[in-house]
Amino acid sequence: SEEEQEQEEEGESRGGGTQGAPGASAGRPRLPAPAGLPGDPDPEEAVSDDSSRHGGRVRGFPHERGNWATHVYLPYMAQEEFLELLELLVSRARTYVPSLAAMEEFHLSLSQCVVLRYHWIQPFVRSLRERLAAFHRFFCVADQVKVYTNENKTRTFIGLEVSAGHFQLLELVSEVDRVLEEFDLPTFYKDPSFHISLAWCVGDLSGRLEGQCLRELQDIVDGFEESAFLLRIQWEQIRCKSGNKYFSFPLR
């Protein structure tokens, strides 16, 4: 699906991004009905690998029936002031890359996008819940504008990198990695750049966005009236998205 396609490529952006995945606007995902009830059939996921249907995005890995794209992340619920800042940043960046598109949902990734078989979803979520149960709410500051590309260099992102709260995020990633290892799945990047993706475009256009553009974007963030308050974020829950299913893990 297009939603799955978004999640796969966002999860590939270095250190996570848009990974995602994934809410902040009218497109914010709703929590799903209980999944995996006795007697539920294995779902069939609608999918198309036609990149023209996804704004030119290229799937990070081939779809196979029964494989569910899965991503662990911290959701960021954007306030009106954040969307005002986003509009300023995207408007300026479009003078350098006109094809830039603003993200509609915002998150900070704690895992890459990995593939789970359908029958692994519930055990995977159960293990995540156990390992994350002891974590408390915490703050971080995401106020450094940075340009990212995904590993295949098929998409470029503008993000806000975390400048404070890195240690707590690494602790969370450590526990998520242990769960991934249990299922023989790839762990997170060794030296992650934790960030919230703001906008994206197709292709590797990092050269146009870095340098002068990046300096101008940082000046906008630094000069934004609500910036100090707005970009000090309290994380209240962790979320896991697997296919079209969402699972929430509240922080204490």
PDB file of all heavy atoms in Angstrom, residues 31-53:
ATOM      1  N   LEU A  31      -5.814   4.729  16.220  1.00  0.00           N
ATOM      2  CA  LEU A  31      -5.460   3.439  16.792  1.00  0.00           C
ATOM      3  C   LEU A  31      -6.431   2.395  16.279  1.00  0.00           C
ATOM      4  O   LEU A  31      -7.633   2.648  16.175  1.00  0.00           O
ATOM      5  CB  LEU A  31      -5.494   3.497  18.325  1.00  0.00           C
ATOM      6  CG  LEU A  31      -4.379   4.332  18.948  1.00  0.00           C
ATOM      7  CD1 LEU A  31      -4.547   4.381  20.458  1.00  0.00           C
ATOM      8  CD2 LEU A  31      -3.021   3.763  18.603  1.00  0.00           C
ATOM      9  N   PRO A  32      -5.940   1.194  15.961  1.00  0.00           N
ATOM     10  CA  PRO A  32      -6.786   0.201  15.305  1.00  0.00           C
ATOM     11  C   PRO A  32      -7.632  -0.574  16.300  1.00  0.00           C
ATOM     12  O   PRO A  32      -7.426  -0.527  17.505  1.00  0.00           O
ATOM     13  CB  PRO A  32      -5.751  -0.736  14.673  1.00  0.00           C
ATOM     14  CG  PRO A  32      -4.607  -0.675  15.637  1.00  0.00           C
ATOM     15  CD  PRO A  32      -4.575   0.746  16.148  1.00  0.00           C
ATOM     16  N   ALA A  33      -8.589  -1.304  15.749  1.00  0.00           N
ATOM     17  CA  ALA A  33      -9.320  -2.269  16.556  1.00  0.00           C
ATOM     18  C   ALA A  33      -8.368  -3.387  16.938  1.00  0.00           C
ATOM     19  O   ALA A  33      -7.336  -3.588  16.306  1.00  0.00           O
ATOM     20  CB  ALA A  33     -10.483  -2.821  15.739  1.00  0.00           C
ATOM     21  N   PRO A  34      -8.681  -4.143  18.025  1.00  0.00           N
ATOM     22  CA  PRO A  34      -7.790  -5.231  18.439  1.00  0.00           C
ATOM     23  C   PRO A  34      -7.501  -6.177  17.292  1.00  0.00           C
ATOM     24  O   PRO A  34      -8.388  -6.533  16.524  1.00  0.00           O
ATOM     25  CB  PRO A  34      -8.577  -5.924  19.564  1.00  0.00           C
ATOM     26  CG  PRO A  34      -9.479  -4.861  20.085  1.00  0.00           C
ATOM     27  CD  PRO A  34      -9.829  -3.996  18.912  1.00  0.00           C
ATOM     28  N   ALA A  35      -6.231  -6.547  17.172  1.00  0.00           N
ATOM     29  CA  ALA A  35      -5.813  -7.381  16.049  1.00  0.00           C
ATOM     30  C   ALA A  35      -5.412  -8.764  16.536  1.00  0.00           C
ATOM     31  O   ALA A  35      -5.077  -8.963  17.699  1.00  0.00           O
ATOM     32  CB  ALA A  35      -4.637  -6.735  15.338  1.00  0.00           C
ATOM     33  N   GLY A  36      -5.417  -9.710  15.621  1.00  0.00           N
ATOM     34  CA  GLY A  36      -4.923 -11.045  15.929  1.00  0.00           C
ATOM     35  C   GLY A  36      -5.849 -11.834  16.845  1.00  0.00           C
ATOM     36  O   GLY A  36      -5.410 -12.653  17.639  1.00  0.00           O
ATOM     37  N   LEU A  37      -7.168 -11.579  16.756  1.00  0.00           N
ATOM     38  CA  LEU A  37      -8.110 -12.318  17.593  1.00  0.00           C
ATOM     39  C   LEU A  37      -8.244 -13.753  17.092  1.00  0.00           C
ATOM     40  O   LEU A  37      -7.996 -14.039  15.924  1.00  0.00           O
ATOM     41  CB  LEU A  37      -9.481 -11.635  17.565  1.00  0.00           C
ATOM     42  CG  LEU A  37      -9.508 -10.197  18.106  1.00  0.00           C
ATOM     43  CD1 LEU A  37     -10.894  -9.590  17.909  1.00  0.00           C
ATOM     44  CD2 LEU A  37      -9.150 -10.187  19.585  1.00  0.00           C
ATOM     45  N   PRO A  38      -8.626 -14.693  17.987  1.00  0.00           N
ATOM     46  CA  PRO A  38      -8.765 -16.087  17.548  1.00  0.00           C
ATOM     47  C   PRO A  38      -9.687 -16.192  16.345  1.00  0.00           C
ATOM     48  O   PRO A  38     -10.763 -15.597  16.313  1.00  0.00           O
ATOM     49  CB  PRO A  38      -9.362 -16.772  18.789  1.00  0.00           C
ATOM     50  CG  PRO A  38      -8.932 -15.924  19.939  1.00  0.00           C
ATOM     51  CD  PRO A  38      -8.914 -14.517  19.405  1.00  0.00           C
ATOM     52  N   GLY A  39      -9.245 -16.947  15.374  1.00  0.00           N
ATOM     53  CA  GLY A  39     -10.061 -17.149  14.186  1.00  0.00           C
ATOM     54  C   GLY A  39      -9.831 -16.124  13.100  1.00  0.00           C
ATOM     55  O   GLY A  39     -10.360 -16.260  11.992  1.00  0.00           O
ATOM     56  N   ASP A  40      -9.042 -15.062  13.375  1.00  0.00           N
ATOM     57  CA  ASP A  40      -8.748 -14.075  12.345  1.00  0.00           C
ATOM     58  C   ASP A  40      -7.955 -14.730  11.224  1.00  0.00           C
ATOM     59  O   ASP A  40      -6.977 -15.411  11.472  1.00  0.00           O
ATOM     60  CB  ASP A  40      -7.918 -12.920  12.915  1.00  0.00           C
ATOM     61  CG  ASP A  40      -8.788 -11.863  13.565  1.00  0.00           C
ATOM     62  OD1 ASP A  40     -10.020 -12.016  13.559  1.00  0.00           O
ATOM     63  OD2 ASP A  40      -8.225 -10.898  14.069  1.00  0.00           O
ATOM     64  N   PRO A  41      -8.351 -14.516   9.982  1.00  0.00           N
ATOM     65  CA  PRO A  41      -7.538 -15.047   8.869  1.00  0.00           C
ATOM     66  C   PRO A  41      -6.304 -14.197   8.677  1.00  0.00           C
ATOM     67  O   PRO A  41      -6.250 -13.047   9.088  1.00  0.00           O
ATOM     68  CB  PRO A  41      -8.487 -14.916   7.670  1.00  0.00           C
ATOM     69  CG  PRO A  41      -9.356 -13.740   8.024  1.00  0.00           C
ATOM     70  CD  PRO A  41      -9.520 -13.772   9.526  1.00  0.00           C
ATOM     71  N   ASP A  42      -5.297 -14.779   8.017  1.00  0.00           N
ATOM     72  CA  ASP A  42      -4.143 -13.967   7.635  1.00  0.00           C
ATOM     73  C   ASP A  42      -4.617 -12.919   6.644  1.00  0.00           C
ATOM     74  O   ASP A  42      -5.238 -13.245   5.643  1.00  0.00           O
ATOM     75  CB  ASP A  42      -3.077 -14.852   6.968  1.00  0.00           C
ATOM     76  CG  ASP A  42      -2.304 -15.651   7.989  1.00  0.00           C
ATOM     77  OD1 ASP A  42      -2.767 -15.698   9.142  1.00  0.00           O
ATOM     78  OD2 ASP A  42      -1.272 -16.216   7.623  1.00  0.00           O
ATOM     79  N   PRO A  43      -4.351 -11.642   6.922  1.00  0.00           N
ATOM     80  CA  PRO A  43      -4.830 -10.589   6.016  1.00  0.00           C
ATOM     81  C   PRO A  43      -4.039 -10.563   4.727  1.00  0.00           C
ATOM     82  O   PRO A  43      -2.890 -10.956   4.678  1.00  0.00           O
ATOM     83  CB  PRO A  43      -4.593  -9.310   6.819  1.00  0.00           C
ATOM     84  CG  PRO A  43      -3.443  -9.644   7.708  1.00  0.00           C
ATOM     85  CD  PRO A  43      -3.589 -11.103   8.047  1.00  0.00           C
ATOM     86  N   GLU A  44      -4.668 -10.097   3.695  1.00  0.00           N
ATOM     87  CA  GLU A  44      -3.968  -9.871   2.435  1.00  0.00           C
ATOM     88  C   GLU A  44      -3.734  -8.374   2.321  1.00  0.00           C
ATOM     89  O   GLU A  44      -4.665  -7.588   2.391  1.00  0.00           O
ATOM     90  CB  GLU A  44      -4.815 -10.357   1.256  1.00  0.00           C
ATOM     91  CG  GLU A  44      -4.972 -11.862   1.226  1.00  0.00           C
ATOM     92  CD  GLU A  44      -5.709 -12.305  -0.019  1.00  0.00           C
ATOM     93  OE1 GLU A  44      -5.798 -11.504  -0.967  1.00  0.00           O
ATOM     94  OE2 GLU A  44      -6.194 -13.429  -0.039  1.00  0.00           O
ATOM     95  N   GLU A  45      -2.474  -7.980   2.181  1.00  0.00           N
ATOM     96  CA  GLU A  45      -2.148  -6.571   2.095  1.00  0.00           C
ATOM     97  C   GLU A  45      -2.163  -6.129   0.640  1.00  0.00           C
ATOM     98  O   GLU A  45      -1.437  -6.672  -0.184  1.00  0.00           O
ATOM     99  CB  GLU A  45      -0.754  -6.306   2.683  1.00  0.00           C
ATOM    100  CG  GLU A  45      -0.660  -6.599   4.150  1.00  0.00           C
ATOM    101  CD  GLU A  45       0.715  -6.223   4.652  1.00  0.00           C
ATOM    102  OE1 GLU A  45       0.992  -5.033   4.801  1.00  0.00           O
ATOM    103  OE2 GLU A  45       1.509  -7.147   4.865  1.00  0.00           O
ATOM    104  N   ALA A  46      -3.017  -5.125   0.339  1.00  0.00           N
ATOM    105  CA  ALA A  46      -3.031  -4.560  -1.001  1.00  0.00           C
ATOM    106  C   ALA A  46      -1.702  -3.869  -1.244  1.00  0.00           C
ATOM    107  O   ALA A  46      -1.198  -3.154  -0.409  1.00  0.00           O
ATOM    108  CB  ALA A  46      -4.170  -3.561  -1.137  1.00  0.00           C
ATOM    109  N   VAL A  47      -1.117  -4.095  -2.407  1.00  0.00           N
ATOM    110  CA  VAL A  47       0.214  -3.537  -2.651  1.00  0.00           C
ATOM    111  C   VAL A  47       0.392  -3.265  -4.129  1.00  0.00           C
ATOM    112  O   VAL A  47      -0.136  -3.967  -4.969  1.00  0.00           O
ATOM    113  CB  VAL A  47       1.305  -4.506  -2.156  1.00  0.00           C
ATOM    114  CG1 VAL A  47       1.290  -5.809  -2.914  1.00  0.00           C
ATOM    115  CG2 VAL A  47       2.677  -3.854  -2.231  1.00  0.00           C
ATOM    116  N   SER A  48       1.137  -2.224  -4.427  1.00  0.00           N
ATOM    117  CA  SER A  48       1.540  -1.953  -5.804  1.00  0.00           C
ATOM    118  C   SER A  48       2.980  -1.488  -5.793  1.00  0.00           C
ATOM    119  O   SER A  48       3.350  -0.632  -5.004  1.00  0.00           O
ATOM    120  CB  SER A  48       0.651  -0.875  -6.423  1.00  0.00           C
ATOM    121  OG  SER A  48       1.199  -0.467  -7.655  1.00  0.00           O
ATOM    122  N   ASP A  49       3.794  -2.053  -6.675  1.00  0.00           N
ATOM    123  CA  ASP A  49       5.187  -1.641  -6.767  1.00  0.00           C
ATOM    124  C   ASP A  49       5.379  -0.606  -7.864  1.00  0.00           C
ATOM    125  O   ASP A  49       6.502  -0.311  -8.247  1.00  0.00           O
ATOM    126  CB  ASP A  49       6.089  -2.849  -7.023  1.00  0.00           C
ATOM    127  CG  ASP A  49       6.258  -3.686  -5.764  1.00  0.00           C
ATOM    128  OD1 ASP A  49       6.167  -3.116  -4.674  1.00  0.00           O
ATOM    129  OD2 ASP A  49       6.478  -4.904  -5.905  1.00  0.00           O
ATOM    130  N   ASP A  50       4.275  -0.064  -8.401  1.00  0.00           N
ATOM    131  CA  ASP A  50       4.363   0.965  -9.428  1.00  0.00           C
ATOM    132  C   ASP A  50       4.742   2.279  -8.769  1.00  0.00           C
ATOM    133  O   ASP A  50       3.929   2.912  -8.103  1.00  0.00           O
ATOM    134  CB  ASP A  50       3.008   1.078 -10.134  1.00  0.00           C
ATOM    135  CG  ASP A  50       3.027   2.099 -11.264  1.00  0.00           C
ATOM    136  OD1 ASP A  50       4.088   2.742 -11.445  1.00  0.00           O
ATOM    137  OD2 ASP A  50       1.991   2.244 -11.934  1.00  0.00           O
ATOM    138  N   SER A  51       6.003   2.740  -8.981  1.00  0.00           N
ATOM    139  CA  SER A  51       6.480   3.934  -8.291  1.00  0.00           C
ATOM    140  C   SER A  51       5.708   5.176  -8.722  1.00  0.00           C
ATOM    141  O   SER A  51       5.655   6.152  -7.982  1.00  0.00           O
ATOM    142  CB  SER A  51       7.982   4.130  -8.539  1.00  0.00           C
ATOM    143  OG  SER A  51       8.224   4.407  -9.904  1.00  0.00           O
ATOM    144  N   SER A  52       5.081   5.160  -9.910  1.00  0.00           N
ATOM    145  CA  SER A  52       4.336   6.338 -10.350  1.00  0.00           C
ATOM    146  C   SER A  52       3.124   6.593  -9.478  1.00  0.00           C
ATOM    147  O   SER A  52       2.591   7.701  -9.437  1.00  0.00           O
ATOM    148  CB  SER A  52       3.894   6.156 -11.814  1.00  0.00           C
ATOM    149  OG  SER A  52       2.941   5.112 -11.931  1.00  0.00           O
ATOM    150  N   ARG A  53       2.675   5.568  -8.762  1.00  0.00           N
ATOM    151  CA  ARG A  53       1.521   5.729  -7.868  1.00  0.00           C
ATOM    152  C   ARG A  53       1.939   6.232  -6.499  1.00  0.00           C
ATOM    153  O   ARG A  53       1.095   6.476  -5.651  1.00  0.00           O
ATOM    154  CB  ARG A  53       0.782   4.384  -7.728  1.00  0.00           C
ATOM    155  CG  ARG A  53       0.192   3.875  -9.026  1.00  0.00           C
ATOM    156  CD  ARG A  53      -0.596   2.604  -8.794  1.00  0.00           C
ATOM    157  NE  ARG A  53      -1.676   2.829  -7.835  1.00  0.00           N
ATOM    158  CZ  ARG A  53      -2.432   1.844  -7.354  1.00  0.00           C
ATOM    159  NH1 ARG A  53      -2.205   0.599  -7.729  1.00  0.00           N
ATOM    160  NH2 ARG A  53      -3.391   2.097  -6.492  1.00  0.00           N
TER     161      ARG A  53
END
